[in-house]
Amino acid sequence: MIQSFFSGLYEMVLGRPIPANFTNDYREVVFPNTGLMLFIITLGIVILYYYVLNRLMSTGLYKTQHWVMFLILNAIIAFIIPVTQVTGNEIETHSYTYMFAFVNVVYSLILFFVFSLLLKRGSVQAWTTPMKWPNKK
Amino acid sequence: MFNKKIETNLLVLLLCCGLLLSGCFKKQSREAEDEPEIATTGGQSRGTDTPAPPTAAATPEKVDVHVYLEISNGMKGFMPAAAAGKEATTFQNNLLNLISEVQDGRYVAEKGFYLAKEDARSRPVLDSVSYNTMKSYIVSGIRDDVRGTPLPAMLKAALQNSIDQGAVSIIISDFIHGPSDQGQFISLDADIRSSLREAEHQGLAIAILGNTSEFFGTYHPAVKKPEVSRRLNGEEIPYYIWVIGKQEEVQVVTNRVLRNLPSQQAYFGFEYEAVPHAALLKEKEFRPSGIVYCSSRNADPCTEISLQPAKQEPVEFTVGLDLSSLPMSMQRTDYLKRNLQVSSTGSRASMVAVTAADESIKAIPGLARYSHFVRVRVPELTASSGSISVQLPQVTPTWINAWSTDNDNNPAADPKKTYQLIKIIDGVQALYRDQSDFVFKATIQFNKAD
């Protein structure tokens, strides 16, 4: 289930894995691993930003530029993970690998933004970061 | 102060990130470890399953061997009496090597030496003799006067004798049929077949090795016109070594006892149930092209694949085969190139190339177990699933045709020919006609890739 969900998510944009002989490695290992980690890490960083740094610790990192910093940090992680996944599973690297990493970065940006919208209202200092909408106060 | 706070916070943040990441990576590595574990156990159990049949039928250490040397007058020219300054004939050299290997070689357990001749009523007689007696026949010539060779009867007698004692027969003869009744020439193939019927019943295989030797003396052709006999002085005349026995035992004899085989070899009744094979899809040395991948990620060997050829991009991949148990002549790349077939249900598959493993390939652990590599091309599927087989059909070697003649009266003009060899071989072939059509068949299942 999870395998086909993540395979579908990535192959929707990327097409079949190339080189094709590693299709199963991508579908059974790399896509689900990367997808799950993308999900978990993004969620973790969003929680860290809104709830740890801007609620428990009151660090003053509530400005949009700080939020962008974390967004970029997450994007970098989202680029590294697919590449390490591919090389770690002894799959030949191909331009497809880097396209895949790039797509993962794009997904990470979207996901980070979505998580931010969902979770920012629980933050004390950063509930208007990156913008006030949709919260009203 | 504010800056300091940010600094410490950033440190904490980095720490958190580090922890989070390391946690994640651990999870991933555990995941990665878990999966192959299941897979390797699967692979192992499969691994022990597949090699099991070959080890069960493993090549025996030692075999019992009976050597039958035909000593009719027609054989005398192969074994001229030794004289100082006269070189031994190829026949003498080879036969001496052979019987010495049988006598003293480490691969032979029980041995027997027989001189095959016929009695006054043209019935075959097998004289059990010692090693030294046979050796003296070979080096100093045949003193007996034996008229003809009732070929089928001789084969039958020798075979029966060996079957009774569970030994491999090695029959050495010129295979020039010398029947008392000329009508037997017409039924030679049928007679050969019935004489060897027992071999087929017992599941025995036959290897025929053809060689030539200088011939000094009286040559008795099967066709008696215009000459009933001729004196030859060093012309090349064919002689044959037939090895009859269980497939594995015959191979011990051909590979270890006879060793230097002539290039004229023919094998009948040889069949290999399980030739180790796999589709090689991840090896850099045999990069596949097109959309093709192993259906199971960790299958080893991979015998089930998913593929989807496209018009612009046909699928091509390599099948690794371990043919090291086959007779040497069948392992030759040119032989395989000529005879190997790729057949398929559900696709149009064809063979692109056959290569033998070279030293650089033998050095790669994953590939070392395969001796040959067949490149298969699949331009089109006709069904969503099916199978692709690499198979070696039972074929009559081409040399048999070249070595057969309908008139062996003048071997000087038409050398290296045996009268109606084709008919003799036809008779042997008829024995195994109802057996499998293939020496081996390596099948790979496929599904259309989704």
Side-chain angles (χ1 to χ4, degrees), chain B residues 259-337:
Chain B
R259 289 169 199 230
N260 297 322
L261 303 182
S263 54
Q264 295 77 30
Q265 305 170 21
Y267 298 91
F268 301 92
F270 278 66
E271 197 184 344
Y272 297 82
E273 296 276 325
V275 165
H277 65 280
L280 305 172
L281 299 170
K282 287 187 181 172
E283 273 71 13
K284 289 190 182 66
E285 291 73 20
F286 301 104
R287 204 181 285 274
S289 68
I291 296 165
V292 55
Y293 53 92
C294 193
S295 298
S296 159
R297 191 171 67 87
N298 292 300
D300 185 33
C302 175
T303 52
E304 202 179 327
I305 60 170
S306 300
L307 50 79
Q308 200 189 90
K311 273 228 173 74
Q312 291 81 15
E313 208 186 9
V315 164
E316 251 188 61
F317 66 97
T318 302
V319 179
L321 298 164
D322 178 12
L323 304 183
S324 52
S325 56
L326 265 63
M328 280 298 172
S329 69
M330 290 188 185
Q331 289 186 39
R332 286 208 314 270
T333 321
D334 55 335
Y335 179 86
L336 292 171
K337 268 182 191 154

Side-chain angles (χ1 to χ4, degrees), chain A residues 9 13 15 19 41 50 52 61 65 74 89 107 112 119 123 127 134:
Chain A
L9 192 68
V13 183
I41 292 172
Y50 285 103
V52 179
L61 294 167
Q65 66 211 52
N74 189 44
N89 284 293
Y107 283 166
F112 193 90
L119 297 176
S123 174
W127 65 275

